[in-house]
């Protein structure tokens, strides 16, 4: 994860020696805007999850994403207002605010029932995984690519796994507005 560190990495398993179970009915999740910050900064959710974006600031926000096919525009929302979006396509969804260019976060949509978000130390646990062969994938906002590794889960699980995520992603030359264009400083955002 480079200077950001390993926390916030999203890890998931896909079975390689048999069928994957269906993803259980997802629960609704919340991303809060508080003090010009998205909380949590990274939210991992399974396919079909509805995420509520809630403004807990005393200022307006305009949450959006240009990450196709999960793109959306919540419009300008006042204190206490919410916007909901259901994510039906896997992958990283960078979320931004069209009013405050310093705000960013991620919703990472996984197409597996076996997933976890790493703690700040990089430690993670994916529970309830039946024995078998799996592909372990790891995404991190600072990595230019998803890291993949083959693993075997035995009857007692798999302990002591490690996977390295890169910190090699180059920053974008600009923070886009909701139309994908470079922001215009004369407009104050």
């Amino acid at each position: 994860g480079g200077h950001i560190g390993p926390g916030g990495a999203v890890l998931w398993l896909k079975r390689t020696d048999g069928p994957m179970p269906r993803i259980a009915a997802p629960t609704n999740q919340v991303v809060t805007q508080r003090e010009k910050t998205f909380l949590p900064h990274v939210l991992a959710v399974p396919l079909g999850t509805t995420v509520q974006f809630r403004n807990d600031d005393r200022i307006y926000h305009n949450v959006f994403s240009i990450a196709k096919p999960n793109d959306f525009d919540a419009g300008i929302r006042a204190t206490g207002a919410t916007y909901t979006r259901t994510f039906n396509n896997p992958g990283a969804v960078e979320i931004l605010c069209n009013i405050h260019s310093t705000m960013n976060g991620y919703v990472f949509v996984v197409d597996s029932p076996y997933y976890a978000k790493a703690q700040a130390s990089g430690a993670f646990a994916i529970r309830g995984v039946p024995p078998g062969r799996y592909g372990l994938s790891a995404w991190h906002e600072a990595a230019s690519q998803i890291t993949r590794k083959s693993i075997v889960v035995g009857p007692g699980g798999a302990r002591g796994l490690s996977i390295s995520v890169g910190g090699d992603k180059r920053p974008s030359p600009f923070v886009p507005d909701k139309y994908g264009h470079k922001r215009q400083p004369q407009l104050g955002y």
Side-chain angles (χ1 to χ4, degrees):
H3 72 282
I4 296 175
V10 177
L11 303 106
W12 67 98
L13 296 170
K14 298 283 285 216
R15 188 139 194 179
T16 59
D17 63 352
M20 285 287 289
R22 295 182 63 164
I23 296 173
T27 59
N28 293 340
Q29 297 290 327
V30 176
V31 173
T32 301
Q33 297 120 66
R34 187 177 308 132
E35 297 179 16
K36 294 185 185 177
T37 305
F38 290 112
L39 300 172
H41 178 68
V42 175
L43 176 67
V45 299
L47 283 175
T49 298
T50 298
V51 177
Q52 181 184 88
F53 296 91
R54 184 175 64 220
N55 184 358
D56 284 351
D57 269 336
R58 293 184 176 157
I59 56 177
Y60 288 91
H61 288 297
N62 183 179
V63 178
F64 74 96
S65 178
I66 57 174
K68 298 204 180 295
N70 286 314
D71 53 317
F72 68 93
D73 179 2
I76 296 175
R77 305 280 172 177
T79 302
T82 61
Y83 172 82
T84 58
R85 172 72 158 88
T86 301
F87 293 96
N88 293 313
N89 298 287
V93 182
E94 184 176 21
I95 52 175
L96 300 165
C97 177
N98 204 49
I99 300 171
H100 308 101
S101 63
T102 58
M103 292 177 65
N104 84 314
Y106 294 88
V107 173
F108 194 89
V109 185
V110 295
D111 57 353
S112 170
Y114 309 125
Y115 68 95
K117 184 176 91 172
Q119 300 170 13
S121 66
F124 68 95
I126 302 174
R127 305 201 186 287
V129 179
R133 295 185 182 281
Y134 293 86
L136 172 64
S137 299
W139 168 89
H140 192 281
E141 68 181 282
S144 63
Q145 296 183 22
I146 291 174
T147 304
R148 291 179 166 73
K149 179 178 186 174
S150 294
I151 65 164
V152 175
V153 175
R159 301 193 185 287
L161 285 175
S162 67
I163 188 166
S164 296
V165 293
D168 61 338
K169 184 176 178 183
R170 295 184 181 228
S172 176
F174 62 88
V175 178
D177 66 11
K178 65 183 178 179
Y179 306 107
H181 302 121
K182 185 175 182 178
R183 293 176 185 249
Q184 300 177 36
Q186 74 274 18
L187 299 179
Y189 77 116

